[in-house]
């Protein structure tokens, strides 16, 4: 009887947590409170709470944060060295002669940059270059902005910074081997979807009027040699073809970026650039680190409560990986507005419970939930860089969602089927 009461209370607080997040509640506070609530409701001994809910999850996640730090630094070096800006500016040369091709090129360039770069700061630095280019060649705002944000979302499948965030729930899954092949395939599917989106709207692009964005100053960046354009893909290439760990791969790519962009010409200049980029990179992820600490503590609370809700979850969940993949694909819009399928929102509870029960393997669950979450990363208003893009371009929220959600929904269904094809057997 006690176990049934505990299970009901856990489920009620889970529903309450979803409501809290959807209503815009602070995620860090929400995760901390849920970790404590589930520990109290589950009658977890005090010493177990201290060790298994608070201390061990945070300490075990420490190594993953190092990956995030190196990834953030590499992304900041790409932006501040001028590599990202130079890659972006190349699309302007195609310009009005071939607007459709230029728009597609912007999408591919955006994906190339954000295969390694991450964070709202990097998005702003690139967006103030690429968004005006899209508008200047006649791409309507209602096409340009969704295309841009979906192009950012596509490479997140292989972005080491974001991948290591979802590893909080599935620490046994590595950023290598079969996952990387899946990640590249899923990224390609999303890019293909964005390109089709552009082609479907080609008539409005060809007939579109030239739009401009009022800015107080011209965007300036150092132009770099075209050979630097391969730098963003170096970490992924080293991991895929030579099986390097992400940290040495990111470090070598950073050194190459510094060398090719002339940052090593003087010792003083090199030290100043390193200090500047490291400081900014850490600042970019400081809030994220605290968020992830709260998240893994909540995941720890879910793990110690497995005996209470495992039976209920096993009854509710389909036992077929194919059925589950199709269901998550169809329900993917529930990831929007930090809903129950968004792992960095209310979906953290979903991920924590699924990971803890062990009904499905981690290598299947990670991409299953990652795919739904990337739908939100690509088109959700609660994603900070999407909100920035709307504010910057002055595009109406309704237009943005109306254009983007159907595209990402279809892409998510296809990629969920890919999850089953790769990991469901």
């Amino acid at each position: 009887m006690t176990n049934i009461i505990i299970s009901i209370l856990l489920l009620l607080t889970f529903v309450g947590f979803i409501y809290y997040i959807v209503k815009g509640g602070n995620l860090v506070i929400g995760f901390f409170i849920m970790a404590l609530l589930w520990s109290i409701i589950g009658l977890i001994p005090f010493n177990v709470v201290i060790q298994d809910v608070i201390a061990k999850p945070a300490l075990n996640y420490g190594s993953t944060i190092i990956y995030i730090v190196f990834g953030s630094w590499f992304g900041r070096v790409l932006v501040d060295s001028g590599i990202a800006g130079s890659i972006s500016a190349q699309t302007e040369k195609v310009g009005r002669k071939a607007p459709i091709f230029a728009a597609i090129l912007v999408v591919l360039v955006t994906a190339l940059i954000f295969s390694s770069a991450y964070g709202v700061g990097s998005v702003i630095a690139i967006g103030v270059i690429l968004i005006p280019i899209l508008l200047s060649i006649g791409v309507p705002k209602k096409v340009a902005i969704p295309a841009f944000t979906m192009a950012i979302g596509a490479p997140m499948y292989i972005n080491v910074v974001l991948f290591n965030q979802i590893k909080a729930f599935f620490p046994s899954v590595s950023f290598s081997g079969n996952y990387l092949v899946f990640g590249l395939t899923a990224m390609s599917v999303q890019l293909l979807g964005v390109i089709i989106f552009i082609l479907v709207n080609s008539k409005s692009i060809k007939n579109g009027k030239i739009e401009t964005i009022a800015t107080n100053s011209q965007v300036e960046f150092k132009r770099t040699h075209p050979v630097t354009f391969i730098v963003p893909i170096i970490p992924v290439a080293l991991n895929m073809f030579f099986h390097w760990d992400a940290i040495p791969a990111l470090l070598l790519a950073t050194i190459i970026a510094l060398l090719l962009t002339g940052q090593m010409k003087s010792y003083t200049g090199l030290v100043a650039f390193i200090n500047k980029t490291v400081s900014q990179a850490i600042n970019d992820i400081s809030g994220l680190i605290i968020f992830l600490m709260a998240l893994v503590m909540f995941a720890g609370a879910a793990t110690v409560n497995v005996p209470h809700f495992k039976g209920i979850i096993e009854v509710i969940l389909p036992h077929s990986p194919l059925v589950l993949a199709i269901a998550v694909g169809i329900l993917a819009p529930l990831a929007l507005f930090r809903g129950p399928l968004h792992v960095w929102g209310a979906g953290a509870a979903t991920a924590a419970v699924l990971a803890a029960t062990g009904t499905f393997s981690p290598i299947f669950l990670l991409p299953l939930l990652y795919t739904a979450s990337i739908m939100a990363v690509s088109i959700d208003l609660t994603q900070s860089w999407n909100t920035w893009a709307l504010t910057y371009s002055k595009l109406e929220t309704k237009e943005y969602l109306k254009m983007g959600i159907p595209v990402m929904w279809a892409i998510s269904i296809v990629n969920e089927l890919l999850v089953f094809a790769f990991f469901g057997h």
Side-chain angles (χ1 to χ4, degrees):
M1 185 66 182
T2 302
N3 194 55
I4 294 174
I5 293 172
I6 290 173
S7 299
I8 293 172
L9 289 175
L10 289 172
L11 288 175
L12 287 175
T13 51
F14 172 71
V15 173
F17 178 66
I18 292 174
Y19 179 80
Y20 168 80
I21 297 301
V22 171
K23 286 295 182 180
N26 181 275
L27 288 168
V28 174
I29 294 174
F31 285 136
F32 272 128
I33 291 175
M34 282 294 289
L36 293 175
L37 268 180
W38 277 22
S39 297
I40 293 169
I41 292 170
L43 303 178
I44 309 302
F46 182 75
N47 288 337
V48 175
V49 174
I50 294 298
Q51 289 297 320
D52 294 347
V53 175
I54 298 175
K56 285 183 181 178
L59 292 172
N60 291 340
Y61 198 65
S63 59
T64 302
I65 287 176
I66 301 302
Y67 286 101
I68 295 173
V69 169
F70 273 91
S72 180
W73 182 36
F74 178 57
R76 179 49 55 181
V77 168
L78 286 180
V79 172
D80 289 5
S81 66
I83 292 175
S86 297
I87 295 173
S88 302
Q90 291 301 306
T91 60
E92 197 169 13
K93 294 181 178 180
V94 179
R96 297 171 191 172
K97 294 180 181 179
I100 306 298
F101 179 68
I104 293 172
L105 192 59
V106 166
V107 165
L108 297 178
V109 163
T110 302
L112 172 65
I113 293 169
F114 287 97
S115 62
S116 297
Y118 179 82
V120 67
S122 298
V123 171
I124 292 172
I126 301 306
V128 295
I129 299 170
L130 290 178
I131 292 175
I133 290 174
L134 285 171
L135 300 182
S136 70
I137 60 176
V139 182
K141 287 180 183 178
K142 67 179 183 178
V143 177
I145 304 307
F148 177 67
T149 61
M150 289 188 291
I152 294 170
M156 290 300 145
Y157 284 100
I158 60 167
N159 186 290
V160 69
V161 178
L162 194 66
F163 177 85
N164 278 288
Q165 292 176 40
I166 197 170
K167 273 194 71 173
F169 302 103
F170 312 102
S172 63
V173 182
S174 63
F175 185 72
S176 60
N178 207 26
Y179 174 78
L180 264 185
V181 177
F182 162 77
L184 288 167
T185 306
M187 178 186 74
S188 301
V189 168
Q190 182 154 332
L191 287 175
L192 180 61
V194 179
I195 290 170
I196 292 172
F197 170 68
I198 290 172
L199 293 175
V200 168
N201 289 280
S202 59
K203 186 175 180 180
S204 65
I205 295 173
K206 290 176 182 176
N207 300 329
K209 64 178 182 178
I210 306 303
E211 298 185 72
T212 58
I213 293 177
T215 55
N216 296 326
S217 60
Q218 187 175 359
V219 179
E220 295 182 1
F221 56 89
K222 177 186 174 183
R223 299 276 178 166
T224 63
H225 192 278
V227 73
T228 63
F229 297 174
I230 65 167
V231 172
I233 63 171
I234 288 176
V236 175
L238 288 173
N239 188 298
M240 175 165 280
F241 298 114
F242 300 101
H243 308 293
W244 281 34
D245 185 83
I247 290 178
L250 287 165
L251 185 57
L252 178 60
T254 302
I255 293 170
I256 292 172
L258 295 173
L259 181 64
L260 295 179
T261 56
Q263 303 298 334
M264 291 185 172
K265 287 181 179 179
S266 73
Y267 176 77
T268 305
L270 176 62
V271 170
F273 185 80
I274 289 176
N275 286 340
K276 175 190 170 187
T277 52
V278 168
S279 176
Q280 185 61 52
I282 299 298
N283 184 63
D284 288 344
I285 61 172
S286 57
L288 172 65
I289 290 172
I290 295 300
F291 164 78
L292 291 171
M293 288 295 95
L295 188 151
V296 295
M297 291 176 190
F298 169 62
T303 301
V304 296
N305 273 293
V306 165
H308 298 304
F309 52 65
K310 186 174 181 179
I312 296 175
I313 296 300
E314 287 178 345
V315 171
I316 296 172
L317 274 184
H319 288 74
S320 165
L322 177 59
V323 173
L324 184 60
I326 293 172
V328 173
I330 293 172
L331 298 173
L334 290 177
L336 299 174
F337 303 102
R338 304 281 172 176
L341 286 181
H342 194 322
V343 294
W344 299 290
T350 307
V353 169
L354 288 176
T357 56
T359 306
F360 295 97
S361 66
I363 189 60
F364 172 70
L365 288 175
L366 184 146
L368 182 85
L369 296 175
Y370 202 19
T371 296
S373 298
I374 286 177
M375 175 177 179
V377 169
S378 302
I379 207 70
D380 191 11
L381 298 178
T382 64
Q383 183 65 43
S384 57
W385 57 64
N386 295 342
T387 303
W388 170 82
L390 285 174
T391 304
Y392 177 70
S393 64
K394 295 181 173 59
L395 175 65
E396 289 188 11
T397 300
K398 183 179 178 180
E399 284 290 334
Y400 174 72
L401 295 176
K402 185 174 73 174
M403 297 296 284
I405 287 177
V407 178
M408 282 309 306
W409 197 353
I411 290 169
S412 297
I413 292 173
V414 173
N415 279 342
E416 292 294 3
L417 291 174
L418 278 177
V419 171
F420 170 75
F422 273 85
F423 309 109
H425 300 288

